[in-house]
Amino acid sequence: MTDKQNFHLKKLGFILTAALLFFMLAASPSSAAPSFSDVSKHYWAHTEITELADKGIIKGHMDGTFRPHDSVTRAQSAMMIARALDISTANRPNPNFKDVTPKTPGYAEIAALVDLGVFSKDVNFNPTEPATRAQVAKILVEAFDLKGSGSGIKAFKDVSSSKWYYSYVDTLVHNDITTGTSKTAFSPDRNVDRVQMAVFIYRSLNAESPATPGVPSGEAAMMTEVLNLVNKERAKVGAPALKAHKALQEAAILKSKDMADKNYFSHQSPTYGSPFDLIKSRGISYTAAGENIAAGQRSAEAVMSSWMDSPGHKANILNEDYTHLGVGIYKGGSYGIYHTQLFIRQ
């Protein structure tokens, strides 16, 4: 199939997807940002709490309070992390903890995070016990795929390099997720309260990924998950796995950002031209290429499901001729989030 034929096939398939997305978005009622009686506009974490509550990541109490200094349980931490990253909880295996059953609040989120390796398998999970700062350090690093280390951790006198949580705290400090409970203490055994958890999640979502500078770690983790899901689908039909391509990923990010910034939804960009023009402008050589785009889906699983339900997009994902994939996700614009997949054969 030629570039021109391939382009028109994808364009036809995407018109159908766009109509469906428009219908879904138009049918969704808007709601005012939540406010809590015990979180004033001058509260030090007002922005973090309000934004996460607006997105449904954290929730208040029936009496209209947030109770920022209540401890966060291990089950509650799982629910917050799963909502923050839009992790699908469907069809996850039972984690087989003795103290966690399908009736346990947070069961689905716990099962999903164990399946993804965020939580370790053990005899018990202790869902109702408060999560400690050391435990949350590990959860955040694993869930948001945070990387890096530095000298900042040396300021904490209560975090020895021999402790199991040392590297996790080191990574949090390096990414400016935590500054400790004081200039010289991290307080690893202290319980995490609701305001601390809100701030940790907010900062993790907005931290830049070292693997993709300039891209928040939340989007970077989603892009990695899309690539993994693509290769899982290809494995089902015996197609070889696609390799990540840094320059192609950068091009895909540019395309998603362009759609958000200039409020359009098309394979043809007013800035970069066709997908093939964009790929060539980045100095990428190829013998075959294709593009999938989508908008509005809030998780890797959701966007992959939309693509796999569309014959044209599915054909790109499973095409045995392709060897590399670049995934680009950008939050913004009228749809809220834009997705681009660029495929090439080299």
Side-chain angles (χ1 to χ4, degrees):
M1 181 180 292
T2 67
D3 284 352
K4 186 174 182 180
Q5 291 171 323
N6 198 24
F7 174 79
H8 284 300
L9 173 62
K10 306 309 169 289
K11 186 172 183 180
L12 176 60
F14 198 67
I15 288 173
L16 299 175
T17 306
L20 175 62
L21 283 172
F22 176 79
F23 173 79
M24 291 171 65
L25 289 171
S28 299
S30 60
S31 58
S35 61
F36 303 108
S37 60
D38 54 352
V39 179
S40 74
K41 292 183 179 180
H42 303 292
Y43 188 62
W44 71 273
H46 175 268
T47 297
E48 292 88 343
I49 292 171
T50 302
E51 288 196 17
L52 294 191
D54 187 36
K55 295 176 180 177
I57 295 171
I58 58 176
K59 302 179 184 296
H61 294 274
M62 293 295 291
D63 62 0
T65 62
F66 180 69
R67 303 178 196 175
H69 299 299
D70 282 1
S71 295
V72 173
T73 68
R74 286 171 53 80
Q76 289 170 344
S77 71
M79 290 187 276
M80 292 178 185
I81 294 295
R83 289 194 293 259
L85 292 173
D86 288 311
I87 293 172
S88 172
T89 59
N91 302 316
R92 300 291 185 177
N94 191 318
N96 293 317
F97 295 115
K98 287 187 175 180
D99 56 355
V100 175
T101 73
K103 295 183 179 180
T104 302
Y107 167 82
E109 292 82 359
I110 292 168
L113 292 180
V114 170
D115 190 32
L116 295 173
V118 175
F119 288 117
S120 302
K121 293 185 178 181
D122 208 333
V123 176
N124 294 310
F125 182 77
N126 303 312
T128 60
E129 287 190 4
T132 67
R133 289 172 59 85
Q135 291 170 345
V136 168
K138 177 181 183 295
I139 294 168
L140 293 170
V141 169
E142 297 289 356
F144 290 92
D145 195 28
L146 300 171
K147 306 291 184 183
S149 62
S151 60
I153 193 174
K154 294 179 180 178
F156 296 146
K157 305 303 181 186
D158 57 353
V159 182
S160 167
S161 59
S162 63
K163 297 295 186 180
W164 66 266
Y165 49 78
Y166 178 87
S167 64
Y168 299 113
V169 178
D170 186 14
T171 298
L172 288 193
V173 174
H174 178 73
N175 285 277
D176 296 321
I177 307 301
T178 183
T179 55
T181 55
S182 74
K183 291 183 178 180
T184 59
F186 176 72
S187 305
D189 298 322
R190 184 181 297 181
N191 296 341
V192 171
D193 60 28
R194 285 167 59 78
V195 63
Q196 291 172 345
M197 194 67 181
V199 171
F200 286 157
I201 291 175
Y202 179 89
R203 291 174 180 171
S204 296
L205 283 169
N206 289 282
E208 289 189 358
S209 167
T212 50
V215 179
S217 60
E219 283 93 304
M222 198 185 303
M223 291 190 295
T224 299
E225 182 64 10
V226 168
L227 174 61
N228 292 337
L229 291 173
V230 164
N231 282 330
K232 284 183 180 180
E233 294 294 341
R234 291 173 67 86
K236 293 177 184 178
V237 297
L242 296 177
K243 297 177 181 178
H245 192 292
K246 184 178 179 181
L248 201 60
Q249 176 176 274
E250 292 171 352
I253 293 170
L254 286 176
K255 177 61 179 291
S256 291
K257 184 178 186 300
D258 194 54
M259 287 192 290
D261 290 347
K262 297 191 176 178
N263 198 30
Y264 71 93
F265 193 57
S266 170
H267 288 287
Q268 190 71 20
S269 162
T271 307
Y272 305 108
S274 73
F276 316 110
D277 294 331
L278 171 59
I279 293 171
K280 291 174 182 176
S281 73
R282 307 299 294 179
I284 302 169
S285 60
Y286 66 92
T287 57
E291 178 186 71
N292 284 345
I293 54 177
Q297 297 90 343
R298 297 288 176 174
S299 68
E301 290 84 358
V303 72
M304 277 296 295
S305 178
S306 294
W307 280 328
M308 291 301 292
D309 286 341
S310 167
H313 299 86
K314 181 177 180 180
N316 261 346
I317 290 170
L318 302 181
N319 191 328
E320 293 188 15
D321 287 338
Y322 293 139
T323 57
H324 295 81
L325 173 63
V327 179
I329 297 173
Y330 188 83
K331 290 185 177 180
S334 58
Y335 281 101
I337 185 169
Y338 291 78
H339 306 265
T340 301
Q341 288 181 323
L342 289 174
F343 304 85
I344 60 170
R345 179 179 68 205
Q346 282 190 328

